Amino acid sequence: MKPLRKVAALAVLLVGIFAFSKAEMSSEKLSLNLDNINVIETLSKQQFECRPTSDFMFYVETDLVKKIRGANNVNAKVYILDKVSGRKALLADENVQIKKFEGAIELKDHSASTNFKSSLIKNGDLIIGNAEVAPYTFNELIQYESIYNSYLNSTNKLLRLKRSI
């Protein structure tokens, strides 16, 4: 009787392992097709409606590129996420310089093309160059409240800052 229980327990364990391993291996995310989505219109609706849309979510990921005296250079990437399918697409990818204190010297180190014009964000951060070709510019998207709030949250978490929204 005991060998029969061992065989049954082993069979249940093996079926459980193999049943979940196939689903985990096939859960590869595909990129989202931006041709069918009007990003600016979706952002405008989120800006002026009292309830955000449940179809798409916008978020910003930041990575530290370079620490310099008086400032940090950060790479900011803006993504759109389809909540239903889980697919995401890159909207903008640019480098931003965040000053550590007011009055710090701005070092405009452009790794991008020479015709790029740097611009200021409303909190004083400086957009210094695009890192990768993307369908939108960071300056164009940061004007919307959902992306600006996500940018501030991401940089606060990355650099351990306490900037308010």
Side-chain angles (χ1 to χ4, degrees):
M1 196 72 161
K2 287 184 181 180
L4 185 58
R5 286 185 186 171
K6 288 181 182 177
V7 170
L10 184 63
V12 169
L13 183 67
L14 288 175
V15 168
I17 290 172
F18 289 119
F20 292 112
S21 67
K22 192 170 189 175
E24 289 174 3
M25 290 180 193
S26 65
S27 66
E28 191 172 313
K29 306 273 186 208
L30 299 173
S31 65
L32 186 63
N33 186 7
L34 291 175
D35 296 335
N36 303 332
I37 303 166
N38 189 348
V39 174
I40 302 298
E41 183 180 317
T42 306
L43 281 168
S44 297
K45 284 182 182 178
Q46 283 187 357
Q47 183 96 4
F48 298 114
E49 292 180 357
C50 61
R51 211 170 239 232
T53 179
S54 61
D55 298 334
F56 301 105
M57 182 179 90
F58 297 92
Y59 66 96
V60 178
E61 289 182 356
T62 54
D63 296 318
L64 186 63
V65 175
K66 183 195 253 185
K67 283 188 170 196
I68 53 179
R69 186 171 48 183
N72 292 312
N73 288 352
V74 173
N75 179 265
K77 295 180 181 181
V78 181
Y79 289 98
I80 182 172
L81 174 73
D82 184 7
K83 290 183 180 179
V84 176
S85 67
R87 295 179 179 181
K88 68 178 183 177
L90 179 69
L91 294 177
D93 183 12
E94 295 192 20
N95 292 329
V96 179
Q97 189 173 73
I98 302 169
K99 292 191 267 184
K100 292 181 183 175
F101 51 88
E102 192 170 331
I105 299 171
E106 296 174 357
L107 299 174
K108 298 179 181 179
D109 180 21
H110 296 286
S111 59
S113 62
T114 57
N115 61 357
F116 183 81
K117 184 181 176 191
S118 61
S119 60
L120 277 173
I121 302 174
K122 61 184 173 183
N123 66 352
D125 296 348
L126 180 69
I127 301 173
I128 57 172
N130 46 354
E132 186 178 314
V133 177
Y136 296 93
T137 62
F138 190 71
N139 193 26
E140 180 180 19
L141 297 176
I142 198 71
Q143 297 172 7
Y144 295 99
E145 186 178 345
S146 61
I147 293 180
Y148 179 73
N149 293 343
S150 179
Y151 165 74
L152 280 182
N153 288 333
S154 183
T155 54
N156 285 348
K157 189 175 182 180
L158 176 71
L159 301 174
R160 296 186 184 121
L161 299 173
K162 294 180 182 174
R163 300 188 294 176
S164 62
I165 294 174

